[in-house]
Amino acid sequence: MFDSLFRFLFKFPPLVFEQGDFTFAVSRPVALAIVAATALAAAALLTYRGIASDGRVRDRAVLVALRLSALAVLVFCLFRPTLILKSAVPQQNFLGILLDDSRSMTIADRDGQPRSDFVRQQLTAAESPLLKALSQRFVLRFFRFSSSSGRVSSAAELKYDGTATRLGQALERARDELAGLPLAGLAVVTDGADTSDQSLDESLASMKARSIPVFTVGVGQERFARDIQITRVETPRSVLKGTSIVVDVVVSQTGYGGQTVPLSVEDDGRIVSTQQVVLPPDGESATVPVRFTASEAGARLFRFRVPPQSGEQVTQNNARDALMEVQDRKEKVLYVEGEPRFEPKFVRHAVEDDKNLQVVILQRTAENKYLRLDVASPDELVGGFPKTREELFAYRGIILGSIEAASFTPEQQRMLADFVNKRGGGLLMLGGRRSFAEGGWAGTPVSEVLPVAIESDGGRTTASYFSELSVRPTRAGATYPVTQIADTESASQTRWNDLPVLSAVNSVRLVKPGATVLLSAVDNRRQDQVVLAYQRYGRGKALAMPIQDSWIWRMDAKMAVTDTTHATFWRRLVRWLVDGVPNQVNVTTTQDRVEPGEAVKLTAEVLDSAYVDVNDSRVLAKVTSPSGKTTELPMEWTVTRDGEYRASFVPDETGVYEVRAGATRQSAGSGRPEQAGRDQKELGAGVVHVRVSAGDAEYFDAPMRAPLLKRIAEETGGRFFTPANAASLPEAISYSGRGVTVVEERELWDMPALLILLMALMGSEWGYRRAKGLA
């Protein structure tokens, strides 16, 4: 009966298990082995059943475990398992070796040796261990990559001077060049510092689709022991000359937590600001507000720098450069006042010494009668407030004093709203008897622009609200440039506490979502009162300052004759009001620094005097190189967006290039052919500067990026290695199953290690029994 049963069981084919490129096969007498194992296990339990308790339970458990382990080894051998492998045929497959040739490979963080030493020791000389092992198995093809990639004959050609790393581009280049060849895979030796903006998703998907495994070897430390880095500097692209700037500098470090270091700002090698910075805890970042004044006009290259510290592993990331356009021009602001009062007089005196500001005063003295001050020509504002958009939009900022909404026509009110929304100008409304709700501004187009909610007074008179206010900066205002009335934050806060009280006749308490309150106060009713708030609206910004007598900060008895607090505050406020206001022609670049040989992409926005997009203008960019050579470059309308024109050029010199884009348009009524080219109307011009220099991005965030390299390997079917285990790279590639392969069968049950293990288990059981007196 048993003979018939076994013959029936042996009819079943072998069991085969597959996992990736590995196949595990089991011979047919599996059922017999299971039956035998069950019987032997039961016998082992019966053998030691007679060992009584009284402290012998543990002995019984140990002996049963040893015997069952020995039986398990025997059962494993009865299975006669076989491992089936696909291995690459030696010298029949190609292997692409991609070597990082960028500057970050020179960082000495491997026991004081540069990362490139791994390439030199393992892949350069003919007798290098790793190179020799790979050469015996594969036909090697070497590639270098940094900002560009290409073939090299050997690793000895690397110079490690690349200013960028583009991993995706390197993978695609190697894939295309090795297409059509039996390819075992790609081996990438790098620190993983991919500095390109291109996503790796598309490149990795292509590798996976073509079954090309990528084996990554990460060199360098994943975390520096001692390093300080200027991670980010946020600066405006352009500022007005003489502007006091507060720039946020992000500093990170490891190994220097709690130490104080100097942070300096240099303008063309000249130190313009220095302050002490307490470094954050290890691995964290701190945002440091840095103050300095842009006193020199033109394209200025500011450097933010922390001196190298003792034991620092990377010093090249201690500085960041920022190119800023410092403009020396006069910004024109219109101040409209509805009644005789002191405020416009003192505002005018506060800014009169500022050569870059011109505040034109239009003060109503009687019905339809105005006092004009500081106008540019006899005809300016001769008819009162501007009646056309072209006339109003010639200003870059507007200040509305104590003047009621009814003084403006509905069209003029819409023009004021569009001045902010479309023209991109700055609007400031001051407090007074005819301002805000008291002036009937609720529900007007201007009220939609302002950062505060204007509630209708419901017939309330001016006398129903009056309060004295002790003005204090909010948390946001404590660090904001416009509210800095002293050299440091602490000194500024002290100065605010010492200022005399002001008064308000406008109860403004609510701000709109997205608005920011910079100054506030508590009124006589112990309620919060907004003193200065702002918000971005459309292309411009709107401010509300519902106080009526800031001039007290100049004329109060407690203020010294030489005190400049009032003048400092108003100069900074008016400069901020017109900061970032666009011109009719605005030219920009995608980035303010490019690599030598990298294309500079230009975009120009062209508007008419009413700030409506112009699609039929002629735009010509004049490019001036650092050596003074000029080139004219026509810019073409993009068609996809109104008023947008684009062009590009490739610089051939290092240094700062100036690009001046001018726009002209055919005058109305001059469409006759003989007049073409003669009746062109000048729309304006915009200037931008771009720096051409080798980048330093390789030194920032420079630790080896193991997560990225692991992702590349996992998504393509490869493996991630480090210099410590790179010796196993040749074997891993050989058994990846790619390229020309041969099948290898390895009988696992016939390994000597199994016999040694079986003898050890049996010997351990006998020895334990002897030691416990159970033999």
Side-chain angles (χ1 to χ4, degrees):
M1 180 178 65
F2 286 100
D3 182 68
S4 301
L5 176 62
F6 289 141
R7 281 200 303 268
F8 172 74
L9 293 173
F10 286 171
K11 292 180 180 179
F12 291 100
L15 298 177
V16 178
F17 304 94
E18 294 186 1
Q19 179 64 36
D21 298 312
F22 296 94
T23 304
F24 183 79
V26 180
S27 57
R28 288 185 298 175
V30 176
L32 177 61
I34 295 174
V35 174
T38 304
L40 291 173
L45 293 173
L46 292 173
T47 300
Y48 292 110
R49 186 182 59 178
I51 299 177
S53 55
D54 300 334
R56 297 294 182 107
V57 175
R58 186 183 64 179
D59 296 337
R60 181 169 58 183
V62 172
L63 291 171
V64 169
L66 289 171
R67 182 162 294 187
L68 288 177
S69 298
L71 290 174
V73 173
L74 289 173
V75 171
F76 181 79
C77 293
L78 287 174
F79 282 169
R80 300 185 68 181
T82 302
L83 184 63
I84 302 175
L85 301 173
K86 293 180 180 179
S87 63
V89 178
Q91 297 300 314
Q92 295 297 311
N93 295 281
F94 286 79
L95 174 66
I97 301 180
L98 283 68
L99 303 174
D100 192 339
D101 194 27
S102 65
R103 291 179 176 181
S104 61
M105 293 291 286
T106 63
I107 296 175
D109 61 346
R110 297 181 64 244
D111 300 325
Q113 300 300 317
R115 297 170 177 177
S116 57
D117 262 17
F118 174 80
V119 178
R120 181 179 57 82
Q121 295 170 2
Q122 298 291 336
L123 293 169
T124 302
E127 296 302 319
S128 299
L130 184 58
L131 178 62
K132 186 176 181 181
L134 291 172
S135 300
Q136 291 173 349
R137 299 169 184 250
F138 309 101
V139 179
L140 305 182
R141 291 291 182 267
F142 288 92
F143 297 84
R144 55 156 295 279
F145 68 93
S146 54
S147 55
S148 60
S149 55
R151 276 281 305 276
V152 291
S153 58
S154 71
E157 297 183 23
L158 302 184
K159 297 180 180 178
Y160 305 108
D161 58 357
T163 57
T165 300
R166 295 184 171 90
L167 272 172
Q169 181 189 87
L171 292 174
E172 293 171 1
R173 172 66 184 272
R175 176 203 65 196
D176 295 341
E177 190 149 334
L178 298 175
L181 300 175
L183 186 61
L186 300 177
V188 182
V189 182
T190 178
D191 53 21
D194 186 18
T195 59
S196 69
D197 297 329
Q198 178 184 357
S199 173
L200 285 173
D201 293 343
E202 186 175 343
S203 300
L204 296 182
S206 174
M207 294 292 164
K208 188 175 181 180
R210 301 192 186 193
S211 298
I212 302 176
V214 180
F215 298 84
T216 55
V217 181
V219 293
Q221 294 180 349
E222 291 188 56
R223 178 185 172 91
F224 290 144
R226 296 175 69 82
D227 182 51
I228 298 175
Q229 174 175 288
I230 304 294
T231 303
R232 186 173 67 255
V233 177
E234 299 178 354
T235 61
R237 291 294 294 268
S238 65
V239 296
L240 196 61
K241 179 184 176 181
T243 298
S244 180
I245 307 169
V246 178
V247 172
D248 286 335
V249 179
V250 181
V251 182
S252 57
Q253 67 82 35
T254 54
Y256 299 94
Q259 296 188 24
T260 301
V261 297
L263 174 59
S264 62
V265 184
E266 300 176 3
D267 179 6
D268 196 19
R270 178 175 58 91
I271 296 178
V272 295
S273 174
T274 300
Q275 66 186 71
Q276 298 296 315
V277 176
V278 179
L279 295 176
D282 285 358
E284 297 184 9
S285 298
T287 300
V288 181
V290 178
R291 297 170 178 79
F292 64 97
T293 300
S295 56
E296 299 291 334
R300 312 301 302 179
L301 185 63
F302 291 93
R303 167 163 288 194
F304 302 81
R305 186 174 69 89
V306 173
Q309 302 299 302
S310 175
E312 196 170 357
Q313 291 177 276
V314 183
T315 60
Q316 293 90 339
N317 59 3
N318 287 36
R320 284 274 192 183
D321 294 335
L323 184 66
M324 295 174 57
E325 180 76 27
V326 182
Q327 299 173 340
D328 187 9
R329 66 185 183 192
K330 183 162 287 190
E331 303 281 25
K332 201 170 184 180
V333 178
L334 174 60
Y335 185 160
V336 184
E337 184 59 67
E339 60 180 340
R341 62 174 187 163
F342 291 126
E343 195 71 356
K345 171 186 175 181
F346 282 91
V347 170
R348 182 189 179 207
H349 287 169
V351 302
E352 64 182 355
D353 292 333
D354 193 324
K355 297 180 180 179
N356 296 106
L357 293 178
Q358 179 185 357
V359 176
V360 178
I361 305 293
L362 182 66
Q363 185 169 13
R364 186 174 60 190
T365 57
E367 187 70 24
N368 295 325
K369 292 185 179 181
Y370 295 91
L371 172 66
R372 298 178 298 146
L373 298 174
D374 299 325
V375 293
S377 67
D379 295 332
E380 183 177 0
L381 302 175
V382 68
F385 188 81
K387 296 178 175 58
T388 65
R389 293 173 183 265
E390 289 79 3
E391 186 181 0
L392 181 64
F393 288 3
Y395 298 94
R396 301 178 70 84
I398 297 175
I399 301 175
L400 295 178
S402 179
I403 186 168
E404 67 278 4
S407 298
F408 302 92
T409 66
E411 176 60 22
Q412 287 176 324
Q413 293 182 18
R414 284 191 291 270
M415 285 165 48
L416 283 169
D418 288 344
F419 179 84
V420 179
N421 185 29
K422 297 181 179 180
R423 192 257 184 268
L427 173 67
L428 168 62
M429 179 176 283
L430 301 178
R433 296 186 305 163
R434 296 179 172 88
S435 300
F436 296 99
E438 287 73 12
W441 287 99
T444 65
V446 175
S447 68
E448 297 179 4
V449 173
L450 293 176
V452 296
I454 301 179
E455 300 175 315
S456 176
D457 63 355
R460 186 182 69 212
T461 63
T462 303
S464 64
Y465 182 84
F466 175 84
S467 180
E468 292 184 337
L469 304 173
S470 294
V471 179
R472 299 290 183 269
T474 63
R475 178 175 297 181
T479 58
Y480 214 80
V482 70
T483 52
Q484 297 298 301
I485 55 177
D487 293 336
T488 64
E489 285 184 23
S490 58
S492 181
Q493 183 64 53
T494 302
R495 192 76 190 104
W496 279 111
N497 294 337
D498 294 338
L499 289 178
V501 298
L502 305 180
S503 67
V505 295
N506 312 105
S507 178
V508 178
R509 310 186 190 283
L510 302 177
V511 296
K512 297 177 181 178
T516 301
V517 179
L518 300 179
L519 296 175
S520 65
V522 177
D523 63 12
N524 296 341
R525 303 175 185 177
R526 305 187 65 82
Q527 294 180 329
D528 290 335
Q529 167 81 0
V530 175
V531 176
L532 179 61
Y534 84 97
Q535 73 172 1
R536 299 294 306 183
Y537 188 89
R539 301 185 64 183
K541 60 175 170 285
L543 288 69
M545 193 167 76
I547 54 175
Q548 64 172 350
D549 48 11
S550 69
W551 57 269
I552 291 179
W553 288 341
R554 180 69 184 90
M555 295 302 294
D556 191 84
K558 66 184 295 185
M559 304 298 291
V561 176
T562 58
D563 190 276
T564 60
T565 301
H566 178 265
T568 299
F569 173 77
W570 269 103
R571 286 179 186 177
R572 293 184 176 179
L573 182 62
V574 176
R575 280 175 171 265
W576 180 45
L577 183 68
V578 297
D579 178 58
V581 176
N583 300 313
Q584 285 185 233
V585 178
N586 305 284
V587 57
T588 59
T589 59
T590 54
Q591 48 190 347
D592 62 0
R593 190 204 61 78
V594 297
E595 299 281 342
E598 182 181 357
V600 177
K601 298 178 181 179
L602 303 173
T603 301
E605 179 189 39
V606 180
L607 309 165
D608 63 12
S609 56
Y611 281 74
V612 176
D613 297 317
V614 176
N615 297 332
D616 58 351
S617 65
R618 179 176 180 267
V619 183
L620 191 64
K622 181 180 179 181
V623 181
T624 305
S625 70
S627 63
K629 183 177 65 176
T630 60
T631 304
E632 290 189 345
L633 184 68
M635 303 185 70
E636 301 295 334
W637 177 41
T638 61
V639 179
T640 58
R641 185 173 179 179
D642 289 339
E644 184 176 271
Y645 298 75
R646 290 182 181 177
S648 64
F649 70 95
V650 178
D652 55 4
E653 300 178 22
T654 58
V656 177
Y657 279 74
E658 180 186 86
V659 180
R660 178 179 295 272
T664 58
R665 189 183 193 184
Q666 192 78 18
S667 299
S670 59
R672 288 178 295 178
E674 62 273 13
Q675 291 181 325
R678 296 199 307 266
D679 297 331
Q680 293 287 325
K681 181 181 179 181
E682 188 79 24
L683 295 178
V687 178
V688 69
H689 290 82
V690 60
R691 181 165 59 107
V692 180
S693 67
D696 54 4
E698 287 291 310
Y699 298 114
F700 291 87
D701 298 321
M704 189 259 289
R705 301 179 190 177
L708 175 63
L709 299 180
K710 290 178 180 177
R711 177 198 166 199
I712 293 174
E714 291 171 358
E715 292 192 13
T716 59
R719 282 179 55 190
F720 169 71
F721 295 87
T722 63
N725 63 353
S728 59
L729 174 65
E731 185 175 4
I733 301 175
S734 294
Y735 290 109
S736 65
R738 302 300 191 270
V740 180
T741 59
V742 62
V743 177
E744 294 183 6
E745 294 187 4
R746 297 184 180 180
E747 295 183 339
L748 301 180
W749 65 273
D750 199 22
M751 295 187 300
L754 290 178
L755 178 61
I756 296 173
L757 176 61
L758 180 61
M759 298 300 294
L761 291 171
M762 295 177 63
S764 298
E765 180 189 359
W766 179 82
Y768 192 87
R769 291 174 57 192
R770 290 273 299 181
K772 298 297 183 179
L774 299 175

